[in-house]
Amino acid sequence: MQQFAFEMQDVSIRYPHFTLDNLNLSLPKGQVMGLVGVNGAGKSTTIRILMGLIKPDSGQVKALGYDLPKQQVAAKYEIGFASDDMRLYKTQTLQWHMDFIRSIYPAFDTAYAADLLKRFDLLAEQKIKGLSHGQRVKACLLLVLARRPKLLVLDEPTTGLDPVAREEVISELADILLDDERSVLFSSHNTHDIEKLSDHIAFLDRGKLLTLQDKESYLESWGRFRCQVTMDNSAHVAGAVSIKRKGQIAEVITDQWTQDYATQLQAAGFHVLEQHRMSLEEIFVANVKRSR
């Protein structure tokens, strides 16, 4: 029987200008899920419910076997959380923060924290006010990771970083996740980060789950074709997510790509000139446009 790091069943919550509608989301233990969506899609609301910070109007939530929000205190000893708006005490050193976290969480791994200091190129004796934004992000991740949480929840942790700092943080995080099997929920609107880290992809848009699939099969199912239209009655093609025509040239996007899909297009009146696989960002845009 498959075990899950968390399960959200038929979860709904309603605000005056936003509704999270019948969300069903689950993550197998030891896997990494990327939660993707534009700002306002419902990613942070989903995470707040998972962390027991808000109670849904309906539905059931379990994390590591604990019922939330009822058992959130016990659950949080085994859940690590980091986000872009976490703040540290500027006048204190990173060592002070590590000692403080250790006093709260007995499972804090001092040896692992020392290893993370080297990986992240941080100095324990340096005060937080002297760190760059990228270094502060790494410091927050260190404090969370050194607790050895069974479930790691990251809510837009790289927001505001310049491209070099973001790539550095993501690369280090990818290596760390390989070292120690953890269950991870990674929320971001940056699809590059999601594509690099995740085993599963969940797309949210306007409070609804558009799709949930393992990353590899999801990426392999999408394709873009540039075609010359050879028949005037070719308005519909099986499996096409969108068809954009400009004169006799058309762009066809499908989420049912196979080796013989070009043959299907040919039969429908499209002569394939080029075909390309799509990035997660391109798929995300196409998926959102389809749902609206």
Side-chain angles (χ1 to χ4, degrees):
M1 184 176 180
Q2 191 173 41
Q3 294 183 318
F4 294 97
F6 71 81
E7 297 177 87
M8 306 178 77
Q9 298 179 344
D10 300 321
V11 171
S12 295
I13 189 167
R14 292 165 182 82
Y15 295 109
H17 304 291
F18 176 77
T19 298
L20 189 68
D21 189 22
N22 284 327
L23 179 65
N24 287 280
L25 200 62
S26 60
L27 175 65
K29 285 188 175 181
Q31 299 289 302
V32 180
M33 176 184 290
L35 187 61
V36 189
V38 298
N39 292 331
K43 302 188 302 298
S44 292
T45 299
T46 300
I47 286 177
R48 290 189 187 105
I49 292 173
L50 180 59
M51 294 298 297
L53 299 175
I54 54 177
K55 183 178 180 180
D57 297 328
S58 59
Q60 294 182 328
V61 182
K62 281 194 172 186
L64 301 175
Y66 296 100
D67 290 319
L68 298 176
K70 183 171 61 176
Q71 296 178 297
Q72 62 171 301
V73 174
K76 286 176 181 175
Y77 274 98
E78 300 180 26
I79 299 175
F81 174 74
S83 72
D84 68 307
D85 58 0
M86 292 181 71
R87 298 293 181 266
L88 303 177
Y89 291 99
K90 292 183 178 180
T91 58
Q92 300 293 346
T93 65
L94 180 52
Q95 183 63 58
W96 181 92
H97 285 83
M98 288 191 289
D99 294 338
F100 178 67
I101 296 297
R102 188 187 301 109
S103 70
I104 301 173
Y105 297 98
F108 189 92
D109 190 332
T110 303
Y112 185 43
D115 179 57
L116 291 174
L117 279 171
K118 295 178 181 177
R119 290 189 187 215
F120 285 153
D121 195 24
L122 295 171
L123 296 175
E125 299 77 17
Q126 189 168 1
K127 290 187 177 180
I128 300 303
K129 65 181 179 181
L131 301 179
S132 68
H133 180 55
Q135 289 173 320
R136 288 196 297 272
V137 169
K138 291 179 181 180
C140 287
L141 286 173
L142 181 153
L143 295 171
V144 172
L145 290 168
R147 288 175 42 214
R148 299 282 192 181
K150 294 180 180 178
L151 173 61
L152 181 62
V153 180
L154 305 174
D155 186 15
E156 302 276 6
T158 60
T159 297
L161 294 180
D162 63 71
V164 174
R166 189 183 75 243
E167 183 64 28
E168 185 179 17
V169 168
I170 290 300
S171 294
E172 290 288 353
L173 191 55
D175 289 341
I176 288 166
L177 294 179
L178 287 174
D179 288 348
D180 193 5
E181 191 173 284
R182 290 184 179 91
S183 305
V184 182
L185 177 64
F186 187 96
S187 164
S188 180
H189 62 269
N190 189 307
T191 53
H192 173 74
D193 296 350
I194 295 292
E195 191 166 353
K196 189 166 186 178
L197 290 176
S198 302
D199 301 307
H200 303 272
I201 303 293
F203 276 115
L204 277 180
D205 186 50
R206 295 184 295 181
K208 293 185 178 181
L209 181 66
L210 298 185
T211 188
L212 172 60
Q213 216 171 338
D214 73 273
K215 180 183 67 177
E216 295 305 324
S217 62
Y218 189 64
L219 290 172
E220 289 174 2
S221 67
W222 285 76
R224 172 185 282 109
F225 296 81
R226 181 173 176 269
C227 308
Q228 183 176 7
V229 181
T230 59
M231 294 166 50
D232 291 335
N233 61 344
S234 53
H236 175 73
V237 179
V241 171
S242 69
I243 301 175
K244 295 180 181 179
R245 286 188 56 171
K246 188 173 183 179
Q248 293 300 305
I249 300 298
E251 178 192 75
V252 181
I253 292 177
T254 180
D255 62 351
Q256 299 178 29
W257 188 90
T258 60
Q259 292 289 346
D260 62 351
Y261 194 77
T263 304
Q264 297 179 43
L265 289 174
Q266 187 75 33
F270 292 83
H271 174 64
V272 176
L273 303 174
E274 299 175 1
Q275 56 181 300
H276 304 280
R277 308 317 296 266
M278 297 172 64
S279 68
L280 187 60
E281 181 173 354
E282 292 171 327
I283 294 172
F284 172 50
V285 172
N287 226 333
V288 169
K289 286 183 177 180
R290 174 170 60 174
S291 70
R292 297 187 173 184

